[in-house]
Amino acid sequence: MIIDSISSGRIRLHCLDPAKDSISDYLSWMRSPDNLPYIYGTNSKMTLEELINYLRKVNDSSDSVQFAISTINDGQHIGNIKFHDIDRNEGSCFVGFLIGKKSHQGKGYAGEALRLGTQALASQFEVTTVRLGVSLEHAHAMAAYRKMGF
């Protein structure tokens, strides 16, 4: 689904539209050997067409929203956050995210995106519970998620 862009502090979240947004960085993150073991549904040979089809599917869905995470100061696309399996009756969803720009990792952008996105979901869909799936082998992610309160 597509919802309005939101911003606070250092970042802006907006739904990725392959017809309007450059997704070349996103494609490179999805192909990165460093990310492959930790991102469900990706592979090193992912094509631009496959990524475009994936984004269209998410944007057309009624229970998922994917945001690009961009910096306010220079508009750089630094990562993505996706809320999926949104259950409006239960008030819950799952979240997954990636700060793909190495220069922006470990600087709190993921936590800021999580807070901003969950505030939007709470106000628009009354989501109060956010669940996270993570590979237990991904030590950096585990540490970051603990910092965020998971």
Side-chain angles (χ1 to χ4, degrees):
M1 83 182 74
I2 295 179
I3 62 177
D4 293 335
S5 69
I6 46 181
S7 60
S8 78
R10 304 176 296 163
I11 62 167
R12 174 179 165 272
L13 303 182
H14 76 279
C15 290
L16 278 168
D17 181 347
K20 297 177 185 175
D21 296 310
S22 170
I23 56 173
S24 59
D25 282 342
Y26 185 9
L27 183 60
S28 72
W29 303 333
M30 298 306 280
R31 291 176 172 170
S32 168
D34 293 341
N35 298 330
L36 289 175
Y38 309 117
I39 302 175
Y40 174 76
T42 190
N43 67 69
S44 63
K45 295 179 175 49
M46 178 177 268
T47 66
L48 180 60
E49 183 178 338
E50 288 171 325
L51 183 56
I52 288 169
N53 288 337
Y54 164 77
L55 288 171
R56 286 183 179 147
K57 183 179 175 182
V58 171
N59 289 345
D60 290 343
S61 77
S62 62
D63 70 345
S64 298
V65 61
Q66 179 155 340
F67 293 107
I69 305 168
S70 301
T71 55
I72 294 281
N73 64 344
D74 59 10
Q76 265 192 85
H77 180 193
I78 62 167
N80 301 312
I81 185 167
K82 179 183 176 189
F83 296 92
H84 58 96
D85 296 316
I86 299 169
D87 184 329
R88 295 172 188 180
N89 294 324
E90 187 182 290
S92 67
C93 69
F94 285 85
V95 66
F97 40 89
L98 170 70
I99 302 300
K101 287 269 188 201
K102 300 283 185 201
S103 60
H104 290 74
Q105 293 176 349
K107 298 189 175 167
Y109 287 104
E112 194 171 333
L114 178 65
R115 284 187 298 280
L116 188 58
T118 55
Q119 288 169 359
L121 288 179
S123 68
Q124 293 188 33
F125 306 115
E126 298 181 12
V127 169
T128 57
T129 302
V130 177
R131 297 181 175 103
L132 172 72
V134 61
S135 167
L136 297 176
E137 297 170 7
H138 197 329
H140 293 295
M142 296 285 287
Y145 299 148
R146 282 188 192 102
K147 226 179 193 181
M148 290 179 220
F150 284 99

